Amino acid sequence: MKFSQLLIPTLKEAPNEATLPSHIYLLRGGFIQSVGSGLYNFLPLGKRSLDRVQKVIKEELDKAGAQEVSLSFVTPASFWIESGRFEKYGKELLRFKDRKDSDFVLGPTHEEMMVNLVKQTVKSYKQLPLNLYQINLKFRDEIRPRFGLMRGREFLMKDGYSFHANEADMKREFDLMEATYKKIFTRLGLDFRVVEADSGAIGGSGSKEFMVLADSGEDTIVVCENCQYGANIEAAIRQPKEFAYDTNSEFKKVHTPNTTTIEEVSKFLDISADYIMKTVAKKALYDGGRSEIVLFVIRGSDTLEETKACNAVCANEIVDISDKELFDAGLVAGYMGPLNTPKNIRIVVDDSLKDASGMVSGANEADCHLVGASSDQIENPLYKDIVAVQENDRCSCCGGRLYYTKGIEVGHIFQLGTRYSEPLKAEFLNEQGKTQPFVMGTYGIGVSRLLAAIIEQHHDERGCMWTKESSPFDLVIIVSNIKDELQSKVGQELYSKLSEMGVAVLLDDRKERFGFKMKDFELIGIPCTVVVGQKLHEGKVEIVMRQNLQPQEIATKDVVTRLKEEFKW
Ligand code: ATP
Ligand code: MG
């Protein structure tokens, strides 16, 4: 294709709201155009990169035996009501009515739709297993759309769903998808890590995320210095720590004025934060608008992990609570504790506090704390892991040091079991002739987010540096001075020859200065350019790799062979 004919509206400056390199360069390089909050048009270059990324995904999935389908984006709300998610999904789910007043949603994910598809077409174990996927639009009315393609409202996702006769077969497919995803992200040239992920209230290790390592990532991941362990902080676990408790300390109430923080209590009573029971009050929100106050009790030296806390009480969400709400419930801000708590308030205690004694806790009375308290005095505690792993904690697999790093979630695979097939009554006849719900897995990739993730990892101060299989073109030929007949002719010939070989070539034939074209090459970030310029009279052209921008002279007659070697075309 010829640059002079393509719509590539490069910009000198990015709009102010763009702060991440990927957002800035995708806008400036003329890949995408903003339409509204979290909404983008893909321009020719952006569409080409998107297509190439999709091609890699499709090739690897097809090789693994998955079949591509395309589901209706507009989904009848009845599917979502049946699965129980119509309410649960909250405001991210865009709901609307048609002219007949029927309810619909724009699919933010397609479990319901896919289960219905299979329910109607698969009746026997003989038709299993089955792995169906699509690469299609999703809409989520995200509360904070930002960072360009990273967190859009309308975005492109690959979503796959597998159906099995039993758990063991679903696990086999889960492992196959993990291996397939690794191939995909490796081909795309990404430095990524597979980590344990939050599996919601179901728990367990049935969910993994694929994280592209980048400082700008929105997710904190916990990794081990020593072994392969890695987990999203929402799911990370650590080796239990040992504590020496003072079992002889007398249980009593003490006057502790102006000590509303752990630090102040620790100082006032001269006790390490490890031996203080910190009580965090939250409001848990459930289906049907029901809510309740929950007290989460953790060690003073720990912090509450909100996803874990939410899962512990099987809530849809947990939110902060105002001082007035606390007061109305009979609680005293700054002096809360799990003992002598007003009746009927649910108490969740962190696992690490089991058997803790000689502890300090708020007395549920202003300016007072209890000392010599033990966790077995707590009435009806629910013990759960609700704390965030901290840096320098020890790995539960090998004892190695754990540390934090940042990641961009580009994929998520999940062992679903019968979570959807049961409520949606999607059943088949098993080998014994009995009806049984399908055992399912689900597998997602953020396709449009991948473009942003690739650029976050591959850019410099001049612009994008696309990886081989994600670049909109394989190569650019820059004709330095288009008015020079020889340069123009050689550029054209090279362009035709490479195009015939199936190489995706962009010919920069614009009537612009060489420096201007070079700047666009650097901004757009195609991996390589051949510059046809002055040196042509000596029978030479230049090859410049975007990686290092070092020109290498080469005899014009050898350039094709050299490129073939370099790129293995
Ligand atoms: P996140 O925690 O980032 O919101 P999620 O857990 O909601 O992601 P899934 O429901 O597992 O994501 O969706 C599958 C994939 O779709 C994610 O791994 C991510 O790459 C991508 N994705 C999710 N939300 C968005 C979004 N708003 N914009 C772009 N891509 C997204
Ligand atoms: Mg999300």
Side-chain angles (χ1 to χ4, degrees):
M1 289 196 176
K2 296 187 176 167
F3 208 132
S4 59
Q5 293 162 8
L6 269 181
L7 179 67
I8 309 179
T10 55
L11 305 169
K12 272 220 164 65
E13 303 280 341
N16 282 343
E17 75 265 17
T19 51
L20 289 194
S22 60
H23 192 186
I24 293 171
Y25 293 143
L26 288 172
L27 286 168
R28 282 193 50 209
F31 292 89
I32 56 169
Q33 183 183 52
S34 170
V35 182
S37 170
L39 305 174
Y40 291 90
N41 288 332
F42 283 84
L43 302 177
L45 282 185
K47 177 71 170 92
R48 286 184 69 95
S49 273
L50 204 55
D51 286 350
R52 295 194 85 182
V53 167
Q54 286 186 57
K55 180 170 172 277
V56 172
I57 295 173
K58 190 170 153 45
E59 279 174 9
E60 294 301 330
L61 284 171
D62 291 352
K63 255 192 261 171
Q67 302 171 50
E68 192 174 19
V69 294
S70 179
L71 305 183
S72 172
F73 178 38
V74 173
T75 312
S78 57
F79 292 5
W80 283 71
I81 293 166
E82 249 183 288
S83 74
R85 281 211 291 185
F86 192 64
E87 233 179 299
K88 238 188 204 81
Y89 216 91
K91 288 196 168 152
E92 274 188 30
L93 185 66
L94 191 70
R95 303 140 210 256
F96 62 97
K97 286 183 190 294
D98 68 1
R99 63 165 77 197
K100 292 184 190 143
D101 225 22
S102 308
D103 290 304
F104 288 89
V105 307
L106 285 186
T109 169
H110 274 82
E111 279 82 5
E112 284 78 359
M113 189 73 114
M114 195 65 96
V115 169
N116 272 284
L117 181 156
V118 168
K119 182 179 167 178
Q120 286 169 44
T121 47
V122 177
K123 304 288 175 198
S124 156
Y125 73 94
K126 290 179 195 153
Q127 294 165 278
L128 298 175
L130 197 58
N131 186 336
L132 299 174
Y133 76 95
Q134 61 169 345
I135 298 178
N136 224 335
L137 278 185
K138 295 282 174 279
F139 190 90
R140 295 182 183 178
D141 203 354
E142 295 269 357
I143 187 164
R144 234 175 287 119
R146 55 188 173 157
F147 306 144
L149 299 181
M150 200 78 90
R151 185 165 297 283
R153 291 197 298 162
E154 184 183 279
F155 60 97
L156 203 60
M157 196 203 284
K158 171 263 154 178
D159 48 326
Y161 309 84
S162 69
F163 296 81
H164 307 270
N166 56 55
E167 187 95 3
D169 194 53
M170 181 268 286
K171 288 194 168 145
R172 177 203 48 75
E173 188 73 13
F174 181 82
D175 292 343
L176 174 64
M177 284 299 114
E178 177 175 347
T180 305
Y181 275 33
K182 283 183 183 163
K183 284 186 193 158
I184 292 170
F185 299 130
T186 304
R187 275 182 66 179
L188 290 174
L190 288 164
D191 180 14
F192 65 96
R193 195 143 178 162
V194 189
V195 302
E196 305 279 332
D198 166 44
S199 306
I202 309 165
S205 59
S207 162
K208 289 185 180 175
E209 283 165 347
F210 294 76
M211 294 287 184
V212 168
L213 303 178
D215 292 341
S216 56
E218 287 185 281
D219 286 271
T220 298
I221 51 187
V222 175
V223 283
C224 177
E225 202 174 59
N226 188 47
C227 74
Q228 280 303 303
Y229 180 75
N232 191 311
I233 192 144
E234 298 171 353
I237 54 169
R238 64 186 177 192
Q239 210 174 65
K241 294 180 196 168
E242 299 286 332
F243 294 96
Y245 295 112
D246 176 6
T247 45
N248 296 322
S249 68
E250 190 195 341
F251 177 61
K252 61 178 182 200
K253 187 162 81 185
V254 290
H255 188 59
T256 55
N258 306 317
T259 55
T260 55
T261 66
I262 293 295
E263 220 180 359
E264 285 160 353
V265 179
S266 168
K267 223 180 200 170
F268 191 91
L269 294 173
D270 189 23
I271 189 165
S272 147
D274 283 340
Y275 300 99
I276 300 174
M277 293 198 268
K278 174 157 89 183
T279 302
V280 184
K282 293 275 176 187
K283 188 153 71 174
L285 311 180
Y286 303 94
D287 283 353
R290 194 172 72 81
S291 69
E292 69 172 337
I293 293 175
V294 182
L295 299 184
F296 294 98
V297 185
I298 60 178
R299 217 172 271 282
S301 48
D302 275 325
T303 49
L304 186 71
E305 211 313 305
E306 297 213 355
T307 303
K308 288 183 179 180
C310 184
N311 290 339
V313 291
C314 299
N316 293 340
E317 204 184 338
I318 58 168
V319 295
D320 287 342
I321 183 166
S322 66
D323 281 356
K324 163 136 193 354
E325 283 171 296
L326 279 184
F327 180 81
D328 291 347
L331 292 163
V332 189
Y335 295 92
M336 290 183 288
L339 306 180
N340 305 331
T341 325
K343 287 274 168 262
N344 301 324
I345 291 189
R346 200 155 165 199
I347 301 176
V348 182
V349 186
D350 185 59
D351 280 337
S352 88
L353 286 168
K354 252 180 216 164
D355 310 321
S357 59
M359 302 290 289
V360 170
S361 90
N364 291 310
E365 205 180 308
D367 296 337
C368 290
H369 277 82
L370 300 171
V371 298
S374 58
S375 57
D376 59 17
Q377 291 169 286
I378 304 172
E379 275 181 51
N380 296 323
L382 172 66
Y383 279 101
K384 291 274 181 186
D385 169 23
I386 51 171
V387 299
V389 168
Q390 296 175 26
E391 288 203 282
N392 298 320
D393 281 348
R394 294 282 148 192
C395 173
S396 63
C397 303
C398 75
R401 192 182 76 87
L402 296 172
Y403 65 95
Y404 288 173
T405 172
K406 289 282 180 190
I408 302 168
E409 182 196 325
V410 290
H412 193 175
I413 58 175
F414 203 109
Q415 298 181 16
L416 270 184
T418 56
R419 160 71 185 85
Y420 294 93
S421 50
E422 230 166 300
L424 295 170
K425 298 192 185 57
E427 296 168 335
F428 66 99
L429 278 182
N430 67 17
E431 235 170 316
Q432 287 74 42
K434 289 213 174 89
T435 53
Q436 180 196 318
F438 295 105
V439 181
M440 290 178 60
T442 171
Y443 320 96
I445 295 182
V447 182
S448 44
R449 179 181 285 184
L450 266 172
L451 295 198
I454 291 168
I455 298 307
E456 281 307 310
Q457 236 178 32
H458 300 273
H459 70 268
D460 62 10
E461 68 292 345
R462 295 162 193 258
C464 304
M465 297 164 92
W466 291 102
T467 59
K468 214 163 120 192
E469 294 214 57
S470 62
S471 177
F473 286 94
D474 296 319
L475 181 84
V476 195
I477 297 170
I478 299 181
V479 177
S480 181
N481 176 7
I482 201 75
K483 289 182 196 141
D484 178 315
E485 268 180 37
L486 184 63
Q487 285 186 25
S488 179
K489 180 170 155 283
V490 171
Q492 274 289 344
E493 280 169 6
L494 199 54
Y495 169 70
S496 305
K497 190 159 184 190
L498 288 165
S499 300
E500 271 165 33
M501 282 165 53
V503 179
V505 196
L506 178 65
L507 177 67
D508 195 343
D509 57 344
R510 291 175 299 167
K511 288 190 191 110
E512 298 285 355
R513 283 179 301 108
F514 169 69
F516 184 87
K517 295 187 208 178
M518 203 57 197
K519 277 240 150 26
D520 274 352
F521 164 69
E522 290 166 0
L523 173 63
I524 291 168
I526 292 163
C528 175
T529 181
V530 175
V531 179
V532 181
Q534 300 283 354
K535 292 267 160 68
L536 207 53
H537 298 286
E538 298 165 31
K540 285 178 185 162
V541 293
E542 278 177 348
I543 293 181
V544 184
M545 303 301 283
R546 176 64 185 86
Q547 281 286 342
N548 55 26
L549 297 175
Q550 296 296 322
Q552 305 164 51
E553 282 184 10
I554 179 158
T556 314
K557 62 176 174 31
D558 296 336
V559 71
V560 173
T561 321
R562 176 65 186 285
L563 289 169
K564 262 180 158 171
E565 272 169 23
E566 180 84 36
F567 290 100
K568 303 196 175 60
W569 288 329

